[in-house]
Amino acid sequence: MTGNVQTYKDLIRKRSADGEPEALAHDLLKAAAVNNGNWTGLWSGVLDRLCELPPETRARVADGLVTQYHSQEAGPVARGNALTLLGIVSHGLEPDDRLTAQRLKQLDDLSRQHSFWYGSRYEGLVEAELAAGRPLAPAVVAVFRRTAASPTYQDATLNRVVRQLTHPALNVGEEWAEQALRDAGDDADWQALLAHIATATSARPTAKWDAPARALVDTLGADRVRETALTWLALVGRPRTFPLTGSDYGPDVNAAYDPYNADALRGVAWLLSLLPPHPDTARALGALVETSLKKVAGLGPRNPKVANAGVTALARIDSEAALAELARLATRVTFKGTLKLLDGALDARAEAMGLSREEIEELAVPAYGLTEVGRAEHRLGDVTGLVEVHGTKAVLSWRNATGKAVRSVPAAVRRDHADDLKDLKAAVKDIDKMLSAQSERLDRQFLARRTWPYTAWRERCLDHPLVGTLARRLLWKVDGRTVGYAEGALRTLTDDPVDSGTEVSLWHPVDHEPAEIVAWRDWLERHGITQPFKQAHREVYLLTDAERATGTYSNRFAAHFLRQHQFHSLAAIRGWRNKLRLSVDDEVPPAVRELPQWGLRAEYWIEGDGGEHYEDITESGSFLRLRTDQVRFYPIDAPENSAHCCGGEYRMWLRDGQDPVEALPLDSIPPLVLSEVLRDVDLFVGVASVGNDPTWQDGGPDGRFQEYWTSYGFGELGQSAETRRVLLDRLIPRLAIADRCTLEGRFLHVKGDRHTYKIHLGSGNILRTPNDQYLCIVPKSNAAAPQAGYLPYEGDRMLAVILSKAMMLAADTKITDPTILSQL
Amino acid sequence: MGIVMFVDETTSGSRSDGWGLEIAEERLSVRELIRRRVFQEVAEYNARTPEVFQGLVQPEDTERVLNGYALRTPRRIDPEKQTDLALKAFAGNGFLVLVGDRQVTELDEEIELVLGTEVTFLKLVALVGG
């Protein structure tokens, strides 16, 4: 290879000295065949030599290339190489029309690519075109810009050429950019603005970037800039206007942002943060963050850079709407980098206002024009627009001058109050989004160990126009007394009003007796209250004897097979930190939930499951599925555990002379924490397990998951469970325990002497009624006779399990097993 | 008198065709019914000694395999011992016995075996707390 390079360098000198530059063309094509048209590395020296030749010599080389191009033996590859070389040797020559048509064709082909390998040296083609004084097609400009924007390869020559491509200001192919180009038209100021936003290449805006942006805004008018820029943002994320071809192995390039335009989008976000605050701006930036974090297969979040710019911009805007948007995003975003920025922005705002982080999030919830809890009236002329919150939805309705409800938007409003109507509709949408964000935030307060001073709580929660619609449907503890809101007041179980107090916290069933929980459920039902999330009906996970026996870990959710990507996103939503397991030689920590308020860290141990020959992985190398293991708790500052991506033991990673820290005994974990953490894990297993997938009745790949699939089931009944139900329906009347059993929905209800139980027909899991306490009873594994792998037993094993459990529970006073008795 | 059908409830609702056993008596205790069934199973096995024993309860020193129990070393199965295991399993809810449309729970209960009586055996699973 190196020898080759030297040979061609020598040849260049020799051929030009001998006065045979035409023959040199032939040699260069041979060289291109040797290096596959990749003129990088040592080969770039050959091109340098070539470019140093005097112009007249190069003109003759160029002619030689044209001859070679047209020669009989030249195939498509050689022709392509000839075109590229022609572009290179023609650099600085008088323009002429050598192979112009062919070059344009080549460029046209290129413009359908996402990007090319810089070593192909296509910039010669561009230079030849520029030299000829012809403007390049916008799509051609776009592909060169995209290539130069590649973070992986930075090439000086390519960058130099791309810098000359100033028109159009943005890359074509994306709707928002094409709209921006149309809006700018021939206006020099708008063109300058577009050119400026495309220079937003750093992570944060600098004073040097802001100054010209401000000047341009002043020239164009702030309102005009905002209104125009917001129409652009509304188009972000639409399908491309023409598709691109990417590499065979990479992610779908058409789902990604154009990397050059991505910088410009960042510029738009920064630009908006320089304008006077406006609710529309905050809304649009929030949407930009969410659109940019949408996941694309093989790529992950579509463009975190742009999402981060959106957050940076929101953080720079000093308005209530922007703060509210930040708080909303903080509950929605799961991508770590962006979440960190959001946290930083909220913390900074909290510090500036001298408040705690929780308080700032609460204060950030806007009322969106609601004047009382869940309700607002807007007079528009004779007509009244009524915004009301029903459940987690806001509804806009209309009353005419006489107070009668009308079905559609009155014509008078459309005509005379078009702007107000637009604002109202936007507010309704904002309320919807904020309601779900707030509902999630409140759901997280159980583990946040949050207490409120009574008056602050009334103001920010119970009587807050928006949050109040949720808070009034929850149960609270005022100075240790459980209360709910009904008929205009806080009331106790016996409906006695409570109108003062000092400290308030969120009610959780784990602290209460089953009888009390049931009484409150009845209370909610009596008052017709639907809770925004499971509170009174929340599943409670108490420590089992098996867990007392294992001491420091729970095996309750071990040995499941989970769909990794589904698990990964669920974990993020529930506030867990997790890393995707890739089929690579690396160590990763388990899925972790940090509970700083409790000084604890919960870990769910998982490992990649790639199948016997690592066939179950995605194109990007991540495992399709995980195997699950123990749940453990550690002090929050304990050294990190990690295990190999592909499986194996978790070990504590000790550095700087740290001592190992043992996992904490489960009985030392506060019951509330244990219950909530196990509830999360149950959710992961319940949702992401392959056992849920009805198409896996055959046991999935190679039937490997047959046994697992069969023994599994949560949620709605699968076909096999439905069949089981039919069978039980026929069987039960014949059993001795028939009078104690009823089949209802997904459950077989069994009346014991101590309690009533319900057994899930899919999974065989038992919930103790009425408080839905999970009862952990499992088939006894026969220690004496080792299990023979995945052999299905005769008959429906789950049916046998359900019947066995029913028989046992129907006579629950006769149970002698202490591990079961302790749970009753 | 006549044939009693033994049916084992099987997977997904379909039932095994069942097999008939000639029983001369009109009345029989549950204990005896189980003994007859086990004796018949063991006799059939011992006559052919296949690799896998298909029967009501797992004989000692065997491994659970597809559709039955594999013997570690080929041998004859003792019908008396096997009957004892079966009776113990019945007492400990190892399986249920349904005669016609009724579950029988006592070993000493006398049952009427009219012509074509169906006896169903439902296998259960041992449970522990988790």
Side-chain angles (χ1 to χ4, degrees), chain A residues 411-429:
Chain A
V413 174
R414 284 187 200 281
R415 192 181 58 235
D416 305 330
H417 303 277
D419 283 348
D420 293 329
L421 178 64
K422 212 182 99 220
D423 286 349
L424 268 181
K425 282 188 169 168
V428 165
K429 268 196 193 144

Side-chain angles (χ1 to χ4, degrees), chain A residues 152-226:
Chain A
T152 331
Y153 308 106
Q154 286 297 327
D155 181 68
T157 324
L158 182 62
N159 286 341
R160 176 175 52 76
V161 174
V162 166
R163 270 198 295 276
Q164 297 170 42
L165 306 175
T166 53
H167 192 82
L170 302 174
N171 270 0
V172 292
E174 291 185 322
E175 244 181 80
W176 83 265
E178 290 182 9
Q179 179 66 41
L181 290 169
R182 275 195 298 274
D183 287 345
D186 294 332
D187 187 310
D189 291 327
W190 278 106
Q191 284 293 344
L193 187 82
L194 292 189
H196 187 61
I197 59 168
T199 63
T201 49
S202 55
R204 326 190 109 259
T206 58
K208 223 178 111 194
W209 190 90
D210 285 348
R214 280 210 172 88
L216 283 163
V217 169
D218 288 344
T219 318
L220 291 164
D223 282 345
R224 202 163 135 227
V225 169
R226 186 190 64 245

Side-chain angles (χ1 to χ4, degrees), chain A residues 739-767:
Chain A
D739 56 340
R740 287 175 172 267
C741 295
T742 39
L743 268 174
E744 246 174 64
R746 288 172 282 153
F747 292 95
L748 171 63
H749 293 249
V750 180
K751 208 179 146 342
D753 289 316
R754 294 159 175 268
H755 304 285
T756 301
Y757 311 87
K758 45 184 189 179
I759 309 174
H760 190 263
L761 299 181
S763 62
N765 283 345
I766 308 168
L767 293 173

